[in-house]
Amino acid sequence: MSIAPDPTHDPRLRSWVASANVPGCDFPIQNLPFGVFRRAGGGESFRCGIAIGDCVLDLGALDMLGPFEGLGAEALAACAEPSLNRLMALGRQSWAALRRGVSACLREGAPRAAELGTALIRRSEAEFTLPARIGNYTDFYASIHHATAVGRLFRPDQPLLPNYKWVPIAYHGRASSIVVSGQEVRRPRGQILPRGAERPQLAPSARLDFELEVGVLIGTGNSLGCPVPIAEAEKHVFGLCLLNDWSARDLQAWEYQPLGPFLAKSFATTISPWVVTLEALAPYRLPWSRPPEDPQPLPYLDGAQLRAGGAIDLHLEVALETQAMRAARAAPQPLARTNFRHSYWSVAQMVAHHTVNGCNLETGDLLGSGTQSGPEPEEAGSLLELTQGGQRAIRLASGEARTFVEDGDRVILRGWCERPGCARIGFGEASGTVLASI
Ligand code: CA
């Protein structure tokens, strides 16, 4: 089931919230991403909201005004909670009804604009928590450019393992250490085998890295034992966010064989507060294809909808702000840009593969796409690739250099969609500042 663009995507739509109409704004009326917020410092309860311009529409307060009927009203009533889970469990028709209703409320000329204005608070006065209660987190490895570049560093003789082009590779990640953008991340300690040494030592990671990823939040789950066919897969997806899978490369190199990453990854994962729905992403879909010289996917990972519009034209960027840059009030420096369209495996393929053995996904589960790197070396989504395993430092405009992330550095992920004839919509950011190890 693919989602056709509808009047909520019309690029001519304008909002009575003036900041939403400013060119380049991440949150115009065509976007309407969901998050969980409260007024900062007041001890209020967290509740669901929608970003519009430089404001948050308080969905709990909107519900008190009783603006909708039917499915839209039911969906809005699910939003007075401290997570999106209740809304996400309702399903695509409810999400679409709520989107249509909120779009009508925020449009220029909406009859109750003055009254609805009481349900807005400035984003700068809000604080955020995780958008969902995340029960399970699975991280994929869906970029072949990343898999090849990293494989070359770890295994020069066989960069890409023979299963890569057949299996959407993933491992089960740690849900308890997922944090929302803005929270600090402590440098992990772990076992490290120094070069040439025979015994490992316990030490703070000296090779701390980021991974530029897309997060996929599951809306409706599937029953245990009942795989989700690929044609149904996107029906189960509520939306996408930005995800930084912080990685300690020295811990990883020593521990990853034979069962894959563990403590090198489980200390922190940062996600953006805003979830951009698949409805909002409808105008930015692209055909999905596989190079003709590569094996075509097995039938359970292939289909007409995937071929017609399984990819997403989502621009991704990672930027760095050092302590010195912050002190000098210099803007964060972009390190790399890429696009989710290059992903070897799509969102629908991840869902179909995850459930093909009967595994049940649940409302609020999070899938990571794996580091997204493009075909060119400068489009890499990790420092491991950008510095060739730490051998080639990146020179920053501040005069500093980096091979890996240092204490006090803030890593910022950004994402946005734009194409001719459509509005530009953004994901905001997922950022985290690194603290020294204990
Ligand atoms: Ca990862």
Side-chain angles (χ1 to χ4, degrees):
M1 190 193 75
S2 50
I3 301 166
D6 65 29
T8 65
H9 302 103
D10 186 337
R12 294 166 300 182
L13 281 186
R14 290 170 61 85
S15 174
W16 51 263
V17 181
S19 57
N21 306 322
V22 175
C25 165
D26 272 352
F27 308 121
I29 190 169
Q30 292 84 359
N31 192 349
L32 307 178
F34 289 85
V36 176
F37 80 102
R38 67 181 178 188
R39 224 176 281 270
E44 292 179 351
S45 305
F46 281 103
R47 64 267 189 194
C48 304
I50 282 180
I52 179 79
D54 60 12
C55 295
V56 181
L57 176 64
D58 181 337
L59 294 177
L62 184 65
D63 187 34
M64 306 286 270
L65 301 173
F68 308 142
E69 293 175 350
L71 270 187
E74 187 195 351
L76 184 57
C79 294
E81 308 230 337
S83 84
L84 290 167
N85 290 55
R86 220 179 111 202
L87 171 67
M88 296 197 307
L90 292 178
R92 165 120 304 131
Q93 282 190 315
S94 299
W95 311 331
L98 183 55
R99 175 180 170 85
R100 284 193 301 274
V102 170
S103 174
C105 282
L106 291 174
R107 240 165 255 184
E108 228 169 39
R112 298 171 70 183
E115 193 185 359
L116 293 166
T118 62
L120 287 181
I121 81 159
R122 291 202 172 279
R123 217 165 59 239
S124 58
E125 293 168 9
E127 61 184 357
F128 296 87
T129 188
L130 288 175
R133 280 193 318 278
I134 299 167
N136 280 284
Y137 161 44
T138 302
D139 199 20
F140 281 84
Y141 198 49
S143 163
I144 195 168
H145 305 297
H146 172 71
T148 306
V150 171
R152 205 174 282 134
L153 293 169
F154 281 72
R155 294 177 306 273
D157 49 325
Q158 193 183 28
L160 203 62
L161 293 171
N163 59 2
Y164 188 83
K165 292 182 177 178
W166 296 100
V167 183
I169 299 289
Y171 68 96
H172 191 242
R174 184 78 198 162
S176 66
S177 53
I178 299 170
V179 298
V180 76
S181 177
Q183 289 193 28
E184 291 164 323
V185 168
R186 187 161 302 276
R187 178 179 300 275
R189 295 192 308 162
Q191 278 201 29
I192 296 165
L193 184 68
R195 190 178 292 275
E198 285 182 6
R199 290 166 55 86
Q201 61 188 35
L202 179 68
S205 171
R207 291 162 70 89
L208 181 60
D209 201 353
F210 54 76
E211 291 196 336
L212 172 58
E213 302 197 18
V214 175
V216 178
L217 272 164
I218 299 299
T220 54
N222 60 299
S223 302
L224 182 61
C226 298
V228 176
I230 191 162
E232 304 283 314
E234 288 198 1
K235 257 203 245 181
H236 292 265
V237 174
F238 179 70
L240 307 186
C241 61
L242 301 169
L243 185 155
N244 180 355
D245 175 26
W246 298 94
S247 299
R249 300 302 181 193
D250 34 13
L251 277 62
Q252 187 179 0
W254 174 233
E255 75 172 5
Y256 87 104
Q257 285 179 320
L259 285 185
F262 179 36
L263 302 182
K265 304 277 192 173
S266 61
F267 58 95
T269 304
T270 299
I271 64 171
S272 58
W274 297 112
V275 183
V276 176
T277 61
L278 282 199
E279 280 84 9
L281 292 166
Y284 315 98
R285 305 304 297 252
L286 293 171
W288 178 94
S289 65
R290 182 54 56 86
E293 64 275 18
D294 280 9
Q296 299 305 301
L298 291 179
Y300 83 94
L301 293 173
D302 207 343
Q305 282 171 32
L306 171 81
R307 297 282 176 168
I312 304 175
D313 189 2
L314 163 54
H315 297 271
L316 298 167
E317 179 185 273
V318 55
L320 184 73
E321 179 194 71
T322 66
Q323 250 171 343
M325 291 157 76
R326 213 158 33 245
R329 296 185 181 276
Q333 180 170 335
L335 299 180
R337 275 188 181 179
T338 183
N339 193 304
F340 191 37
R341 67 192 295 175
H342 300 304
S343 188
Y344 198 75
W345 297 105
S346 76
V347 170
Q349 287 170 320
M350 292 178 208
V351 171
H353 183 67
H354 204 307
T355 61
V356 73
N357 66 345
C359 173
N360 51 328
L361 292 174
E362 295 179 319
T363 298
D365 280 359
L366 177 68
L367 313 181
S369 66
T371 310
Q372 290 298 313
S373 298
E376 302 303 325
E378 65 273 18
E379 295 174 318
S382 70
L383 284 172
L384 184 68
E385 294 158 87
L386 290 168
T387 67
Q388 294 173 348
Q391 293 176 50
R392 219 178 58 186
I394 296 172
R395 301 275 153 208
L396 302 173
S398 59
E400 301 167 279
R402 286 291 181 276
T403 46
F404 288 99
V405 181
E406 296 193 3
D407 294 344
D409 285 354
R410 187 165 76 99
V411 175
I412 304 136
L413 310 188
R414 299 193 183 101
W416 67 96
C417 298
E418 57 188 344
R419 75 193 299 180
C422 299
R424 176 199 180 279
I425 64 170
F427 280 65
E429 62 178 45
S431 80
T433 305
V434 173
L435 298 178
S437 170
I438 295 173

